[in-house]
Amino acid sequence: MKSLAILSHKGGVGKTILAVNLAIHLAAEGKNICLIDSDFHGPSILTFFTPKSEIHWINSFLTGESSLEECLQDLSNDLALSGKLLVAFADPTPESIQNVIRLDQNTSMKMLHYLMKMKSMLREEPYSIDYLILDCSPGTGFSTINVMVITEIILFMVKVTNADIIGTSHMIEGLHKQLKSRTKIIANQIPSDFLNDQTKKEHFQKLIENLLKKDLGDKTVDFMGWIPNDLDLYKTEFETAIKTLEGNPTRRMIHTLDKPDHIISKIIKELANNLFGDNN
Amino acid sequence: MIAYAVYVISMDGRPLVSETFQSAETIPNEMLLAGLMTALQGVATELSQGKSGLKSIKIDNLSYHFKSFGQYQIVLVTDLPETPENVLHRLGIQFMKDFGEQLIKDSLDLNTFQPFSDTINEIVREELTIDNSKMIIPTKKFSSGELYQLPSHLQPTALAMIALKEGNVEEIASESEKSIEDTVDNLESLQDMGLIGKKVTNDHVSYFCSF
Ligand SMILES: Nc1ncnc2c1ncn2[C@@H]1O[C@H](COP(=O)(O)OP(=O)(O)O)[C@@H](O)[C@H]1O
Ligand SMILES: [Mg+2]
């Protein structure tokens, strides 16, 4: 089993969209996937799916109140995926989010204990998971550090604005000790015309790599590429939101599921190969 | 849950008998007693008014759990804030059986209660964890942030301890994917740092940590 944590400095950069799209793509390829919402401050994986039964939040597994089995929903049949897609949702109620904000060291240790248990359970029958994907909260809270501890691959997502790119550079420096030997970084919401200009692209990639590679010593940061800004996405998401407000059952658009030929789907497939391919 | 000490205290605040499970280096007696006094003040009125027979107070990383039995109360000091009600109950009832009659006498001879320290030992050993190495330090606990402040060769063993919470050398070695020899060395280092304790029950040695 390989495990991936998706991190960022700021919120709203596209972590959840990436996590969901990667998970769906890999499950459609016949791989067994476990997708965990570990953004306890802003749970949102739920908005992409129609959960089956009553939900046991993953929070309750991490505090020892529920079993892992209770917290995992198998959505592969509903979505006609050939591999397994097990999803665990985080509790979005204000009380639960308050609990996570106030998380003390001891509770955080308990969480880490259960995360490690979860990881070893997912490797074995009946789960036999190939890829574990964890969608984290932005920043460096206890819960995100815990997820970093248990995952092999750490992928930072940046939006190329000054606040985020400079912040990400500080974040990576600050987490130096926690980082694995290789850290990955991907840029999201890049204007499409920029991506069509090879010279500009190469120039900018160098600038980013210079910014992020400094002072990392023995550890390296790999730049994994760019995801273009999808101008239609905002409109689609707006329309979905209206439907939800009207009381209709909805789920948000997932590129790799709903638009497999879209440029974003193609880029995500390529990313999956680069992250999890045999050389990695 | 790790037990650090047990006190049986008369309603007027006099210790009748006690048992501590730690060395004075890891938890100084003065620290325990000072905490006990502070905690006692905190619960005195409530317990005497009979409002609640059960109370827990956390001071300096130690949790003091109180249960009142009329003429006396049991105080159990542990690492975690959850109340070990069953242990308090067993200790209290046993004390009543063994010494209930002595308590009503006008003049108390504290030596009478001394044998109860063995009973405390027996009951607590059955129900809770006791650090036989007496090396674990209550103020020093693993945290996911501090894990990485440890020397890197110790990190896999520390992580394995967090995953297992308790285990013998073989289990810890296998969880951390390290050799038995390295694991033994690492466990010793983590013990020296006060981060993990050691439990010996019928020749079976296991290591544990607190969280
Ligand atoms: N490539 C993209 N093109 C257009 N909009 C995007 C793109 N990626 C993300 N977004 C927008 O950003 C919003 C936040 O994305 P999300 O995945 O929830 O971020 P995060 O999980 O990092 O907080 C989305 O709702 C979407 O509107
Ligand atoms: Mg998100």
Side-chain angles (χ1 to χ4, degrees), chain A residues 1 34-38 58 61-62 68 71-72 88 111-124 127 129 132-134 147 150-151, chain B residues 163:
Chain A
M1 184 176 79
C34 180
L35 173 63
I36 309 273
D37 195 348
S38 40
I58 189 69
F61 169 73
L62 296 176
L68 182 61
C71 297
L72 293 174
M111 263 179 81
L112 179 56
H113 167 74
Y114 282 106
L115 277 173
M116 296 182 73
K117 272 189 143 177
M118 175 181 87
K119 202 179 156 190
S120 51
M121 285 162 86
L122 290 174
R123 272 200 205 99
E124 311 289 331
Y127 303 112
I129 293 299
L132 167 64
I133 300 176
L134 297 115
V147 167
I150 67 145
T151 44

PDB file of all heavy atoms in Angstrom, chain A residues 1 34-38 58 61-62 68 71-72 88 111-124 127 129 132-134 147 150-151, chain B residues 163:
ATOM      1  N   MET A   1       0.844  -1.202   0.000  1.00  0.00           N
ATOM      2  CA  MET A   1       0.000   0.000   0.000  1.00  0.00           C
ATOM      3  C   MET A   1       0.875   1.247   0.000  1.00  0.00           C
ATOM      4  O   MET A   1       1.842   1.331   0.734  1.00  0.00           O
ATOM      5  CB  MET A   1      -0.890   0.008   1.251  1.00  0.00           C
ATOM      6  CG  MET A   1      -1.867   1.155   1.284  1.00  0.00           C
ATOM      7  SD  MET A   1      -2.992   1.098   2.705  1.00  0.00           S
ATOM      8  CE  MET A   1      -1.957   1.730   4.010  1.00  0.00           C
ATOM      9  N   CYS A  34      -8.503   3.945  -0.585  1.00  0.00           N
ATOM     10  CA  CYS A  34      -9.164   4.459   0.609  1.00  0.00           C
ATOM     11  C   CYS A  34      -8.921   5.962   0.657  1.00  0.00           C
ATOM     12  O   CYS A  34      -7.780   6.411   0.645  1.00  0.00           O
ATOM     13  CB  CYS A  34      -8.635   3.773   1.864  1.00  0.00           C
ATOM     14  SG  CYS A  34      -9.419   4.379   3.346  1.00  0.00           S
ATOM     15  N   LEU A  35      -9.999   6.719   0.674  1.00  0.00           N
ATOM     16  CA  LEU A  35      -9.923   8.180   0.691  1.00  0.00           C
ATOM     17  C   LEU A  35     -10.435   8.671   2.042  1.00  0.00           C
ATOM     18  O   LEU A  35     -11.573   8.392   2.419  1.00  0.00           O
ATOM     19  CB  LEU A  35     -10.783   8.749  -0.449  1.00  0.00           C
ATOM     20  CG  LEU A  35     -10.970  10.270  -0.516  1.00  0.00           C
ATOM     21  CD1 LEU A  35      -9.639  10.986  -0.750  1.00  0.00           C
ATOM     22  CD2 LEU A  35     -11.967  10.636  -1.626  1.00  0.00           C
ATOM     23  N   ILE A  36      -9.576   9.392   2.762  1.00  0.00           N
ATOM     24  CA  ILE A  36      -9.953   9.834   4.107  1.00  0.00           C
ATOM     25  C   ILE A  36     -10.019  11.356   4.152  1.00  0.00           C
ATOM     26  O   ILE A  36      -9.065  12.033   3.763  1.00  0.00           O
ATOM     27  CB  ILE A  36      -8.904   9.382   5.159  1.00  0.00           C
ATOM     28  CG1 ILE A  36      -8.599   7.895   5.038  1.00  0.00           C
ATOM     29  CG2 ILE A  36      -9.329   9.788   6.565  1.00  0.00           C
ATOM     30  CD1 ILE A  36      -9.494   6.986   5.798  1.00  0.00           C
ATOM     31  N   ASP A  37     -11.131  11.887   4.640  1.00  0.00           N
ATOM     32  CA  ASP A  37     -11.218  13.322   4.878  1.00  0.00           C
ATOM     33  C   ASP A  37     -10.525  13.612   6.202  1.00  0.00           C
ATOM     34  O   ASP A  37     -11.070  13.356   7.270  1.00  0.00           O
ATOM     35  CB  ASP A  37     -12.693  13.760   4.940  1.00  0.00           C
ATOM     36  CG  ASP A  37     -12.823  15.273   4.828  1.00  0.00           C
ATOM     37  OD1 ASP A  37     -11.785  15.968   4.933  1.00  0.00           O
ATOM     38  OD2 ASP A  37     -13.952  15.755   4.617  1.00  0.00           O
ATOM     39  N   SER A  38      -9.294  14.100   6.142  1.00  0.00           N
ATOM     40  CA  SER A  38      -8.645  14.471   7.402  1.00  0.00           C
ATOM     41  C   SER A  38      -8.511  15.986   7.503  1.00  0.00           C
ATOM     42  O   SER A  38      -7.653  16.492   8.208  1.00  0.00           O
ATOM     43  CB  SER A  38      -7.315  13.741   7.604  1.00  0.00           C
ATOM     44  OG  SER A  38      -6.598  13.660   6.416  1.00  0.00           O
ATOM     45  N   ILE A  58     -15.180   9.709  10.643  1.00  0.00           N
ATOM     46  CA  ILE A  58     -13.852   9.146  10.905  1.00  0.00           C
ATOM     47  C   ILE A  58     -13.311   9.658  12.248  1.00  0.00           C
ATOM     48  O   ILE A  58     -12.522   8.984  12.916  1.00  0.00           O
ATOM     49  CB  ILE A  58     -12.864   9.435   9.730  1.00  0.00           C
ATOM     50  CG1 ILE A  58     -11.536   8.679   9.888  1.00  0.00           C
ATOM     51  CG2 ILE A  58     -12.587  10.919   9.585  1.00  0.00           C
ATOM     52  CD1 ILE A  58     -11.634   7.187   9.717  1.00  0.00           C
ATOM     53  N   PHE A  61     -13.609   7.107  14.877  1.00  0.00           N
ATOM     54  CA  PHE A  61     -12.607   6.033  14.870  1.00  0.00           C
ATOM     55  C   PHE A  61     -11.319   6.524  15.532  1.00  0.00           C
ATOM     56  O   PHE A  61     -10.690   5.818  16.323  1.00  0.00           O
ATOM     57  CB  PHE A  61     -12.301   5.569  13.439  1.00  0.00           C
ATOM     58  CG  PHE A  61     -11.095   4.666  13.360  1.00  0.00           C
ATOM     59  CD1 PHE A  61     -11.162   3.359  13.810  1.00  0.00           C
ATOM     60  CD2 PHE A  61      -9.879   5.140  12.881  1.00  0.00           C
ATOM     61  CE1 PHE A  61     -10.047   2.531  13.777  1.00  0.00           C
ATOM     62  CE2 PHE A  61      -8.755   4.323  12.848  1.00  0.00           C
ATOM     63  CZ  PHE A  61      -8.845   3.016  13.292  1.00  0.00           C
ATOM     64  N   LEU A  62     -10.966   7.779  15.235  1.00  0.00           N
ATOM     65  CA  LEU A  62      -9.693   8.313  15.739  1.00  0.00           C
ATOM     66  C   LEU A  62      -9.721   8.599  17.235  1.00  0.00           C
ATOM     67  O   LEU A  62      -8.690   8.841  17.852  1.00  0.00           O
ATOM     68  CB  LEU A  62      -9.300   9.568  14.961  1.00  0.00           C
ATOM     69  CG  LEU A  62      -9.023   9.314  13.473  1.00  0.00           C
ATOM     70  CD1 LEU A  62      -8.728  10.615  12.749  1.00  0.00           C
ATOM     71  CD2 LEU A  62      -7.860   8.337  13.296  1.00  0.00           C
ATOM     72  N   LEU A  68     -13.216   0.856  12.494  1.00  0.00           N
ATOM     73  CA  LEU A  68     -12.863   1.362  11.172  1.00  0.00           C
ATOM     74  C   LEU A  68     -13.933   0.967  10.161  1.00  0.00           C
ATOM     75  O   LEU A  68     -14.335   1.765   9.310  1.00  0.00           O
ATOM     76  CB  LEU A  68     -11.488   0.817  10.751  1.00  0.00           C
ATOM     77  CG  LEU A  68     -10.967   1.317   9.406  1.00  0.00           C
ATOM     78  CD1 LEU A  68     -10.806   2.825   9.400  1.00  0.00           C
ATOM     79  CD2 LEU A  68      -9.653   0.642   9.053  1.00  0.00           C
ATOM     80  N   CYS A  71     -16.798   3.228   9.858  1.00  0.00           N
ATOM     81  CA  CYS A  71     -16.525   4.564   9.324  1.00  0.00           C
ATOM     82  C   CYS A  71     -16.254   4.580   7.821  1.00  0.00           C
ATOM     83  O   CYS A  71     -16.228   5.647   7.215  1.00  0.00           O
ATOM     84  CB  CYS A  71     -15.344   5.183  10.060  1.00  0.00           C
ATOM     85  SG  CYS A  71     -15.684   5.430  11.808  1.00  0.00           S
ATOM     86  N   LEU A  72     -16.028   3.410   7.225  1.00  0.00           N
ATOM     87  CA  LEU A  72     -15.703   3.383   5.797  1.00  0.00           C
ATOM     88  C   LEU A  72     -16.947   3.068   4.975  1.00  0.00           C
ATOM     89  O   LEU A  72     -17.658   2.112   5.255  1.00  0.00           O
ATOM     90  CB  LEU A  72     -14.632   2.323   5.519  1.00  0.00           C
ATOM     91  CG  LEU A  72     -13.248   2.593   6.104  1.00  0.00           C
ATOM     92  CD1 LEU A  72     -12.333   1.401   5.890  1.00  0.00           C
ATOM     93  CD2 LEU A  72     -12.632   3.847   5.497  1.00  0.00           C
ATOM     94  N   ALA A  88     -14.005   7.742   3.930  1.00  0.00           N
ATOM     95  CA  ALA A  88     -14.362   8.094   5.307  1.00  0.00           C
ATOM     96  C   ALA A  88     -14.545   9.597   5.382  1.00  0.00           C
ATOM     97  O   ALA A  88     -13.687  10.359   4.927  1.00  0.00           O
ATOM     98  CB  ALA A  88     -13.276   7.633   6.274  1.00  0.00           C
ATOM     99  N   MET A 111      -4.922  10.063  18.505  1.00  0.00           N
ATOM    100  CA  MET A 111      -5.275  10.094  17.085  1.00  0.00           C
ATOM    101  C   MET A 111      -4.191   9.447  16.247  1.00  0.00           C
ATOM    102  O   MET A 111      -4.474   8.657  15.337  1.00  0.00           O
ATOM    103  CB  MET A 111      -5.414  11.546  16.617  1.00  0.00           C
ATOM    104  CG  MET A 111      -6.808  12.058  16.599  1.00  0.00           C
ATOM    105  SD  MET A 111      -6.810  13.776  16.051  1.00  0.00           S
ATOM    106  CE  MET A 111      -6.719  13.572  14.293  1.00  0.00           C
ATOM    107  N   LEU A 112      -2.947   9.774  16.553  1.00  0.00           N
ATOM    108  CA  LEU A 112      -1.832   9.202  15.798  1.00  0.00           C
ATOM    109  C   LEU A 112      -1.809   7.683  15.967  1.00  0.00           C
ATOM    110  O   LEU A 112      -1.592   6.932  15.008  1.00  0.00           O
ATOM    111  CB  LEU A 112      -0.504   9.828  16.247  1.00  0.00           C
ATOM    112  CG  LEU A 112       0.749   9.312  15.562  1.00  0.00           C
ATOM    113  CD1 LEU A 112       0.657   9.468  14.053  1.00  0.00           C
ATOM    114  CD2 LEU A 112       1.991  10.039  16.078  1.00  0.00           C
ATOM    115  N   HIS A 113      -2.069   7.249  17.193  1.00  0.00           N
ATOM    116  CA  HIS A 113      -2.131   5.811  17.484  1.00  0.00           C
ATOM    117  C   HIS A 113      -3.175   5.134  16.582  1.00  0.00           C
ATOM    118  O   HIS A 113      -2.902   4.113  15.947  1.00  0.00           O
ATOM    119  CB  HIS A 113      -2.473   5.643  18.961  1.00  0.00           C
ATOM    120  CG  HIS A 113      -2.871   4.270  19.372  1.00  0.00           C
ATOM    121  ND1 HIS A 113      -1.953   3.247  19.501  1.00  0.00           N
ATOM    122  CD2 HIS A 113      -4.088   3.750  19.688  1.00  0.00           C
ATOM    123  CE1 HIS A 113      -2.604   2.152  19.877  1.00  0.00           C
ATOM    124  NE2 HIS A 113      -3.887   2.427  19.996  1.00  0.00           N
ATOM    125  N   TYR A 114      -4.368   5.720  16.502  1.00  0.00           N
ATOM    126  CA  TYR A 114      -5.420   5.119  15.676  1.00  0.00           C
ATOM    127  C   TYR A 114      -5.134   5.260  14.180  1.00  0.00           C
ATOM    128  O   TYR A 114      -5.494   4.374  13.403  1.00  0.00           O
ATOM    129  CB  TYR A 114      -6.794   5.705  16.037  1.00  0.00           C
ATOM    130  CG  TYR A 114      -7.335   5.090  17.311  1.00  0.00           C
ATOM    131  CD1 TYR A 114      -7.351   5.808  18.495  1.00  0.00           C
ATOM    132  CD2 TYR A 114      -7.778   3.776  17.328  1.00  0.00           C
ATOM    133  CE1 TYR A 114      -7.827   5.233  19.677  1.00  0.00           C
ATOM    134  CE2 TYR A 114      -8.247   3.193  18.489  1.00  0.00           C
ATOM    135  CZ  TYR A 114      -8.274   3.926  19.665  1.00  0.00           C
ATOM    136  OH  TYR A 114      -8.717   3.350  20.814  1.00  0.00           O
ATOM    137  N   LEU A 115      -4.483   6.345  13.783  1.00  0.00           N
ATOM    138  CA  LEU A 115      -4.108   6.480  12.370  1.00  0.00           C
ATOM    139  C   LEU A 115      -3.160   5.353  11.973  1.00  0.00           C
ATOM    140  O   LEU A 115      -3.266   4.764  10.892  1.00  0.00           O
ATOM    141  CB  LEU A 115      -3.415   7.826  12.114  1.00  0.00           C
ATOM    142  CG  LEU A 115      -4.294   9.051  11.881  1.00  0.00           C
ATOM    143  CD1 LEU A 115      -3.443  10.316  11.828  1.00  0.00           C
ATOM    144  CD2 LEU A 115      -5.090   8.910  10.579  1.00  0.00           C
ATOM    145  N   MET A 116      -2.224   5.031  12.860  1.00  0.00           N
ATOM    146  CA  MET A 116      -1.269   3.969  12.550  1.00  0.00           C
ATOM    147  C   MET A 116      -1.959   2.617  12.505  1.00  0.00           C
ATOM    148  O   MET A 116      -1.647   1.774  11.662  1.00  0.00           O
ATOM    149  CB  MET A 116      -0.117   3.975  13.558  1.00  0.00           C
ATOM    150  CG  MET A 116       0.692   5.259  13.459  1.00  0.00           C
ATOM    151  SD  MET A 116       2.090   5.320  14.572  1.00  0.00           S
ATOM    152  CE  MET A 116       3.185   4.170  13.796  1.00  0.00           C
ATOM    153  N   LYS A 117      -2.902   2.436  13.427  1.00  0.00           N
ATOM    154  CA  LYS A 117      -3.691   1.193  13.416  1.00  0.00           C
ATOM    155  C   LYS A 117      -4.452   1.076  12.110  1.00  0.00           C
ATOM    156  O   LYS A 117      -4.499   0.021  11.486  1.00  0.00           O
ATOM    157  CB  LYS A 117      -4.709   1.216  14.566  1.00  0.00           C
ATOM    158  CG  LYS A 117      -4.180   0.686  15.865  1.00  0.00           C
ATOM    159  CD  LYS A 117      -5.332   0.550  16.828  1.00  0.00           C
ATOM    160  CE  LYS A 117      -5.178  -0.673  17.698  1.00  0.00           C
ATOM    161  NZ  LYS A 117      -6.236  -0.798  18.694  1.00  0.00           N
ATOM    162  N   MET A 118      -5.084   2.201  11.718  1.00  0.00           N
ATOM    163  CA  MET A 118      -5.869   2.231  10.493  1.00  0.00           C
ATOM    164  C   MET A 118      -5.009   1.823   9.306  1.00  0.00           C
ATOM    165  O   MET A 118      -5.413   1.004   8.472  1.00  0.00           O
ATOM    166  CB  MET A 118      -6.416   3.650  10.272  1.00  0.00           C
ATOM    167  CG  MET A 118      -7.146   3.840   8.959  1.00  0.00           C
ATOM    168  SD  MET A 118      -7.720   5.531   8.755  1.00  0.00           S
ATOM    169  CE  MET A 118      -6.266   6.260   8.028  1.00  0.00           C
ATOM    170  N   LYS A 119      -3.809   2.391   9.265  1.00  0.00           N
ATOM    171  CA  LYS A 119      -2.934   2.104   8.140  1.00  0.00           C
ATOM    172  C   LYS A 119      -2.612   0.612   8.074  1.00  0.00           C
ATOM    173  O   LYS A 119      -2.671   0.009   6.994  1.00  0.00           O
ATOM    174  CB  LYS A 119      -1.657   2.925   8.288  1.00  0.00           C
ATOM    175  CG  LYS A 119      -0.944   3.126   6.994  1.00  0.00           C
ATOM    176  CD  LYS A 119       0.300   3.954   7.190  1.00  0.00           C
ATOM    177  CE  LYS A 119       1.268   3.654   6.075  1.00  0.00           C
ATOM    178  NZ  LYS A 119       2.580   4.245   6.328  1.00  0.00           N
ATOM    179  N   SER A 120      -2.323  -0.002   9.203  1.00  0.00           N
ATOM    180  CA  SER A 120      -1.977  -1.426   9.110  1.00  0.00           C
ATOM    181  C   SER A 120      -3.212  -2.279   8.816  1.00  0.00           C
ATOM    182  O   SER A 120      -3.098  -3.313   8.154  1.00  0.00           O
ATOM    183  CB  SER A 120      -1.201  -1.914  10.335  1.00  0.00           C
ATOM    184  OG  SER A 120      -1.842  -1.559  11.502  1.00  0.00           O
ATOM    185  N   MET A 121      -4.379  -1.832   9.260  1.00  0.00           N
ATOM    186  CA  MET A 121      -5.602  -2.585   8.927  1.00  0.00           C
ATOM    187  C   MET A 121      -5.916  -2.497   7.434  1.00  0.00           C
ATOM    188  O   MET A 121      -6.322  -3.485   6.813  1.00  0.00           O
ATOM    189  CB  MET A 121      -6.798  -2.050   9.729  1.00  0.00           C
ATOM    190  CG  MET A 121      -6.783  -2.458  11.185  1.00  0.00           C
ATOM    191  SD  MET A 121      -7.860  -1.419  12.179  1.00  0.00           S
ATOM    192  CE  MET A 121      -9.410  -2.269  11.961  1.00  0.00           C
ATOM    193  N   LEU A 122      -5.739  -1.327   6.850  1.00  0.00           N
ATOM    194  CA  LEU A 122      -6.095  -1.135   5.439  1.00  0.00           C
ATOM    195  C   LEU A 122      -5.234  -1.986   4.503  1.00  0.00           C
ATOM    196  O   LEU A 122      -5.659  -2.355   3.415  1.00  0.00           O
ATOM    197  CB  LEU A 122      -5.983   0.345   5.052  1.00  0.00           C
ATOM    198  CG  LEU A 122      -7.044   1.273   5.661  1.00  0.00           C
ATOM    199  CD1 LEU A 122      -6.743   2.722   5.331  1.00  0.00           C
ATOM    200  CD2 LEU A 122      -8.446   0.892   5.180  1.00  0.00           C
ATOM    201  N   ARG A 123      -4.013  -2.271   4.955  1.00  0.00           N
ATOM    202  CA  ARG A 123      -3.115  -3.115   4.151  1.00  0.00           C
ATOM    203  C   ARG A 123      -3.649  -4.530   4.005  1.00  0.00           C
ATOM    204  O   ARG A 123      -3.434  -5.192   3.011  1.00  0.00           O
ATOM    205  CB  ARG A 123      -1.757  -3.214   4.853  1.00  0.00           C
ATOM    206  CG  ARG A 123      -0.824  -2.129   4.479  1.00  0.00           C
ATOM    207  CD  ARG A 123       0.598  -2.576   4.807  1.00  0.00           C
ATOM    208  NE  ARG A 123       1.401  -1.397   5.007  1.00  0.00           N
ATOM    209  CZ  ARG A 123       1.718  -0.895   6.196  1.00  0.00           C
ATOM    210  NH1 ARG A 123       1.358  -1.517   7.296  1.00  0.00           N
ATOM    211  NH2 ARG A 123       2.423   0.200   6.283  1.00  0.00           N
ATOM    212  N   GLU A 124      -4.352  -4.985   5.063  1.00  0.00           N
ATOM    213  CA  GLU A 124      -4.731  -6.406   5.137  1.00  0.00           C
ATOM    214  C   GLU A 124      -6.153  -6.650   4.621  1.00  0.00           C
ATOM    215  O   GLU A 124      -6.908  -5.726   4.394  1.00  0.00           O
ATOM    216  CB  GLU A 124      -4.678  -6.868   6.603  1.00  0.00           C
ATOM    217  CG  GLU A 124      -3.406  -6.507   7.346  1.00  0.00           C
ATOM    218  CD  GLU A 124      -2.198  -7.298   6.874  1.00  0.00           C
ATOM    219  OE1 GLU A 124      -2.424  -8.438   6.417  1.00  0.00           O
ATOM    220  OE2 GLU A 124      -1.077  -6.789   6.952  1.00  0.00           O
ATOM    221  N   TYR A 127      -9.668  -5.365   3.435  1.00  0.00           N
ATOM    222  CA  TYR A 127      -9.560  -4.103   2.700  1.00  0.00           C
ATOM    223  C   TYR A 127      -8.607  -4.205   1.505  1.00  0.00           C
ATOM    224  O   TYR A 127      -8.949  -3.812   0.398  1.00  0.00           O
ATOM    225  CB  TYR A 127      -9.128  -2.977   3.640  1.00  0.00           C
ATOM    226  CG  TYR A 127     -10.058  -2.808   4.820  1.00  0.00           C
ATOM    227  CD1 TYR A 127      -9.651  -3.101   6.119  1.00  0.00           C
ATOM    228  CD2 TYR A 127     -11.369  -2.378   4.632  1.00  0.00           C
ATOM    229  CE1 TYR A 127     -10.519  -2.965   7.196  1.00  0.00           C
ATOM    230  CE2 TYR A 127     -12.242  -2.236   5.697  1.00  0.00           C
ATOM    231  CZ  TYR A 127     -11.810  -2.529   6.980  1.00  0.00           C
ATOM    232  OH  TYR A 127     -12.666  -2.397   8.032  1.00  0.00           O
ATOM    233  N   ILE A 129      -6.053  -2.488   0.526  1.00  0.00           N
ATOM    234  CA  ILE A 129      -5.994  -1.194  -0.168  1.00  0.00           C
ATOM    235  C   ILE A 129      -4.649  -1.016  -0.879  1.00  0.00           C
ATOM    236  O   ILE A 129      -3.605  -1.373  -0.346  1.00  0.00           O
ATOM    237  CB  ILE A 129      -6.220  -0.058   0.861  1.00  0.00           C
ATOM    238  CG1 ILE A 129      -7.646  -0.096   1.412  1.00  0.00           C
ATOM    239  CG2 ILE A 129      -5.896   1.312   0.275  1.00  0.00           C
ATOM    240  CD1 ILE A 129      -8.743   0.074   0.387  1.00  0.00           C
ATOM    241  N   LEU A 132      -3.752   4.772  -0.228  1.00  0.00           N
ATOM    242  CA  LEU A 132      -4.447   5.517   0.821  1.00  0.00           C
ATOM    243  C   LEU A 132      -4.211   7.001   0.571  1.00  0.00           C
ATOM    244  O   LEU A 132      -3.061   7.444   0.468  1.00  0.00           O
ATOM    245  CB  LEU A 132      -3.890   5.098   2.190  1.00  0.00           C
ATOM    246  CG  LEU A 132      -4.250   5.962   3.394  1.00  0.00           C
ATOM    247  CD1 LEU A 132      -5.748   5.922   3.664  1.00  0.00           C
ATOM    248  CD2 LEU A 132      -3.487   5.489   4.638  1.00  0.00           C
ATOM    249  N   ILE A 133      -5.299   7.762   0.430  1.00  0.00           N
ATOM    250  CA  ILE A 133      -5.179   9.187   0.136  1.00  0.00           C
ATOM    251  C   ILE A 133      -5.826   9.989   1.263  1.00  0.00           C
ATOM    252  O   ILE A 133      -6.981   9.741   1.623  1.00  0.00           O
ATOM    253  CB  ILE A 133      -5.857   9.528  -1.213  1.00  0.00           C
ATOM    254  CG1 ILE A 133      -5.184   8.723  -2.334  1.00  0.00           C
ATOM    255  CG2 ILE A 133      -5.792  11.026  -1.504  1.00  0.00           C
ATOM    256  CD1 ILE A 133      -5.826   8.890  -3.702  1.00  0.00           C
ATOM    257  N   LEU A 134      -5.074  10.912   1.843  1.00  0.00           N
ATOM    258  CA  LEU A 134      -5.606  11.709   2.949  1.00  0.00           C
ATOM    259  C   LEU A 134      -5.622  13.188   2.584  1.00  0.00           C
ATOM    260  O   LEU A 134      -4.591  13.759   2.209  1.00  0.00           O
ATOM    261  CB  LEU A 134      -4.775  11.489   4.218  1.00  0.00           C
ATOM    262  CG  LEU A 134      -4.796  10.060   4.747  1.00  0.00           C
ATOM    263  CD1 LEU A 134      -3.406   9.452   4.667  1.00  0.00           C
ATOM    264  CD2 LEU A 134      -5.326   9.994   6.161  1.00  0.00           C
ATOM    265  N   VAL A 147      -0.940  13.149  10.127  1.00  0.00           N
ATOM    266  CA  VAL A 147      -1.082  12.510   8.827  1.00  0.00           C
ATOM    267  C   VAL A 147       0.285  12.434   8.127  1.00  0.00           C
ATOM    268  O   VAL A 147       0.629  11.428   7.509  1.00  0.00           O
ATOM    269  CB  VAL A 147      -2.122  13.257   7.960  1.00  0.00           C
ATOM    270  CG1 VAL A 147      -2.059  12.803   6.518  1.00  0.00           C
ATOM    271  CG2 VAL A 147      -3.519  13.037   8.520  1.00  0.00           C
ATOM    272  N   ILE A 150       2.304   9.398   9.150  1.00  0.00           N
ATOM    273  CA  ILE A 150       1.958   8.050   8.688  1.00  0.00           C
ATOM    274  C   ILE A 150       2.018   7.871   7.168  1.00  0.00           C
ATOM    275  O   ILE A 150       1.775   6.783   6.682  1.00  0.00           O
ATOM    276  CB  ILE A 150       0.568   7.593   9.200  1.00  0.00           C
ATOM    277  CG1 ILE A 150      -0.553   8.436   8.568  1.00  0.00           C
ATOM    278  CG2 ILE A 150       0.477   7.634  10.719  1.00  0.00           C
ATOM    279  CD1 ILE A 150      -1.797   7.622   8.307  1.00  0.00           C
ATOM    280  N   THR A 151       2.290   8.937   6.416  1.00  0.00           N
ATOM    281  CA  THR A 151       2.267   8.776   4.957  1.00  0.00           C
ATOM    282  C   THR A 151       3.655   8.804   4.332  1.00  0.00           C
ATOM    283  O   THR A 151       4.552   9.463   4.834  1.00  0.00           O
ATOM    284  CB  THR A 151       1.413   9.881   4.288  1.00  0.00           C
ATOM    285  OG1 THR A 151       1.734  11.116   4.897  1.00  0.00           O
ATOM    286  CG2 THR A 151      -0.051   9.599   4.433  1.00  0.00           C
TER     287      THR A 151
ATOM    288  N   ALA B 163       2.197   3.285  18.036  1.00  0.00           N
ATOM    289  CA  ALA B 163       1.266   2.393  17.340  1.00  0.00           C
ATOM    290  C   ALA B 163       0.771   1.293  18.271  1.00  0.00           C
ATOM    291  O   ALA B 163      -0.398   0.934  18.255  1.00  0.00           O
ATOM    292  CB  ALA B 163       1.938   1.791  16.116  1.00  0.00           C
TER     293      ALA B 163
END
